[in-house]
Amino acid sequence: MILLAALALAAPAGAAVRRTPTLAPSNTVVDGPSADIVGLSGLSVARDGTGGLVYLKNVGGVTHVFVSALLGGRFQPPTQLDPGLAGPSSHPVIAASNGGLLVVAFVNGGELYVVQATSALSGFSAPQPLYPSASNPALSISSFGKAYLAFTASGAGGSDVRVAYYYAGQWALSSTPLDENPGDNAGSGAGRPSVVASGDGTGIVVWGENGHVYLRRIVGTTPSSASYRADPSSFNGLNEVSADQPTVGAGGDSSYASVAFCETLADAQTRVLFNRMLDDQFTGARAVDGISSPVGGSADQPATAPTEFGVGFVTAEQTTSHNLFALLLGSDDTPETVEQVNGLPQASAPDAVPATAGTVSTLIAWQQDQGNGSPAEIRLRYAPDGTTLNGDQVVSSSGLGATNADQGLAAGGDLAGDAAAAWVQGSGSQTRIVTAQLFQNPGGFSPISHFAYSTRVNPVLSWSAASEEWGSPTYAVKLGGALVARTTATSVRVPGRVAQGPHVWLVTATNQAGGATVARSATVFVDSLAPMVSVRVTGSRRPWGVIHVYVHAHDTRPGLPSSRVSGVNTVQVRWGDGAKTSTHYSATHAYRRRRTFTLTVVVTDRAGNRTVVHRKIRITGAATKTKKPTKRTGKGKKHVTRRGIRG
């Protein structure tokens, strides 16, 4: 739990308070229209808002892997990752971590390859062969850059489940397969593996083997000594036939895991079940699909996505009605209630994806196909608090044709609660890779000073940067209700002259989606006028004579109200002989020796304007005779000098 506390402290101010984000005014077409687009394979968004999507596209009739990086809130032009490989590529997967780190894996010629970009400023590495005769890759990375790549490899019994570990630019393979039984056919077909990298750096892998679903943890390249079976022997009084299509999710603590899978029962019914992993045991299967036993019906498309604290949703589709259901997970992946997500009839599978947006918010995206002649569209429901889903929102544009989620739909979000969805839209020559982005309003910014003086008539106004992961917001600055500047910087010098006196100003931050936040108001007090000062000097100008200095200072001007000047703040009288400076309007001093001294009077107003007056004081003649005090020295004796007491 120490790790979770540290992660919470790393969140920006206000990270635990979420609002529904604003949909950007238009979708982004990453690629297309083109008949060469094969399908979208994945989207990953890191905590800091960087990330990317991966998809397949034909080049000269051969299928290759392309990535569009997400930087500064914008999807970048696609990059082909396998230009040096002659054969077709397949099964690309992607994972993103902070700083622009992107890790991609894919299969080409039956061999598993990996590619990575270590930062937002670096390009992608050349494809690195990792394992021969491999398939079904699954990839996940933690916020601290530790990635786990699970895959199926040729082995005893047909196939094995293996894992590769990535950290700091280096890949390493696990020492042994993860299979429950080395002689079984593990991780093949619908038993393909799924993996998640928990926040504490542990990998958790689930896979299908011999009709069952198993889970094993792995740290680096070392698997745990034990594996755990997730599927029950029976459910609702019906014996199990087999289990497959496993998927796994986890938060910051690998002690907990969310496992969902399809369970075929003895009556030929297929259910989507959830089982919570707690330490070294599963706590018991729960239905996700909303089917009321013993009423018939089946379900599929299991998916799960808990937040850092184990809050989120597990989703499933009823195969007859195509309705989408979600099981709410409370803290630490605790199963709670099941609800239907779609409010309109479904004519085809929703291909739903649950996702997280930072440590708090969650969302579910799916394809809504009403089957009444209207084109299919992508809808999304967002839960600002992680558990309460808002109403559904259409995030796709009908102007690009019907969406095609069968060819890919993915979603994710960053620590600020921004969210993105990506999908395939259109068909044939009009096929596109499309994204939608939802932006949280900028936050966490304010004027550097609630009240500040300016000694210039065109003052500089400054504020802290708004918390905005996806690009710099635009700041609109108003002074006295009038717009004076628009800028992406965090300070501006007001153009033109500003009248003397106080002025209220406001700054508004607006992001790419048009979401705006107004910071608290501030006041700048313009006072460019130095104080008016006169100095009068009287008294004896002989050594040890008393000099009197009288300072008269004010900060007003004819026709200028006192409310529009800052007023005198300090007065300093510097004697010019090293004596302590006086801070009074009237002061006395005795110079001790003959000489010409420079008396300096400095008057400063509250804004910082200064007026300096110099006076030459010439000390001449004999010392003034005054009775000097005495001081006892030694044993009761007194020692007196002309100049006073010598201590």
Side-chain angles (χ1 to χ4, degrees), residues 281-644:
Q281 62 180 354
F282 281 101
T283 58
R286 285 278 304 271
V288 177
D289 49 35
I291 295 174
S292 301
S293 294
V295 178
S298 291
D300 61 4
Q301 296 189 345
T304 181
T307 68
E308 198 72 54
F309 298 96
V311 175
F313 293 96
V314 185
T315 57
E317 174 226 16
Q318 291 185 359
T319 55
T320 301
S321 67
H322 301 299
N323 286 328
L324 172 60
F325 285 82
L327 169 66
L328 170 64
L329 301 179
S331 297
D332 298 328
D333 304 282
T334 304
E336 296 186 356
T337 58
V338 175
E339 65 176 295
Q340 184 172 330
V341 177
N342 62 300
L344 297 174
Q346 282 282 121
S348 61
D351 298 311
V353 286
T356 64
T359 58
V360 177
S361 303
T362 58
L363 58 137
I364 301 174
W366 75 97
Q367 179 168 276
Q368 179 69 52
D369 178 12
Q370 298 184 53
N372 58 2
S374 301
E377 59 193 12
I378 303 300
R379 295 196 172 211
L380 184 147
R381 292 183 66 180
Y382 188 95
D385 62 358
T387 60
T388 308
L389 288 167
N390 290 336
D392 53 331
Q393 179 178 16
V394 179
V395 297
S396 58
S397 171
S398 60
L400 299 179
T403 58
N404 189 0
D406 283 345
Q407 299 302 310
L409 172 61
D414 64 19
L415 186 61
D418 304 311
W423 61 88
V424 176
Q425 190 160 356
S427 59
S429 63
Q430 296 302 303
T431 303
R432 296 173 173 86
I433 302 293
V434 184
T435 66
Q437 291 173 257
L438 295 92
F439 290 72
Q440 288 284 342
N441 286 357
F445 76 110
S446 62
I448 297 299
S449 176
H450 179 64
F451 180 92
Y453 287 106
S454 173
T455 59
R456 301 185 62 168
V457 294
N458 55 340
V460 173
L461 309 178
S462 301
W463 55 92
S464 61
S467 58
E468 177 62 70
E469 302 293 354
W470 282 352
S472 298
T474 298
Y475 299 99
V477 184
K478 289 185 176 181
L479 182 70
L483 181 68
V484 295
R486 292 187 187 275
T487 180
T488 56
T490 55
S491 65
V492 65
R493 184 174 292 281
V494 178
R497 296 177 61 87
V498 177
Q500 302 289 308
H503 302 271
V504 175
W505 62 279
L506 289 169
V507 58
T508 301
T510 304
N511 60 25
Q512 297 177 33
T517 301
V518 181
R520 66 177 186 179
S521 63
T523 298
V524 60
F525 196 116
V526 175
D527 183 354
S528 63
L529 305 174
M532 303 291 289
V533 179
S534 63
V535 177
R536 185 166 60 93
V537 181
T538 65
S540 173
R541 305 206 179 193
R542 299 171 64 185
W544 292 101
V546 178
I547 295 290
H548 297 270
V549 175
Y550 303 94
V551 180
H552 177 67
H554 63 88
D555 203 25
T556 58
R557 296 291 190 280
L560 190 65
S562 60
S563 61
R564 293 190 173 275
V565 294
S566 60
V568 173
N569 187 37
T570 62
V571 173
Q572 291 184 333
V573 179
R574 301 170 186 170
W575 304 106
D577 62 350
K580 183 178 179 181
T581 299
S582 172
T583 58
H584 301 283
Y585 283 83
S586 63
T588 59
H589 184 63
Y591 291 99
R592 298 184 179 186
R593 57 187 182 274
R594 301 176 186 89
R595 195 182 138 187
T596 299
F597 297 92
T598 300
L599 176 74
T600 303
V601 176
V602 180
V603 179
T604 306
D605 65 16
R606 292 186 179 90
N609 299 296
R610 294 199 319 165
T611 298
V612 180
V613 177
H614 299 289
R615 291 286 186 270
K616 295 293 184 180
I617 308 296
R618 186 179 180 185
I619 304 300
T620 62
T624 300
K625 294 181 180 180
T626 59
K627 184 178 180 179
K628 304 298 186 294
T630 62
K631 179 181 179 181
R632 293 183 180 275
T633 62
K635 296 182 179 180
K637 296 181 179 180
K638 299 179 181 179
H639 182 67
V640 181
T641 69
R642 266 187 73 198
R643 297 191 177 185

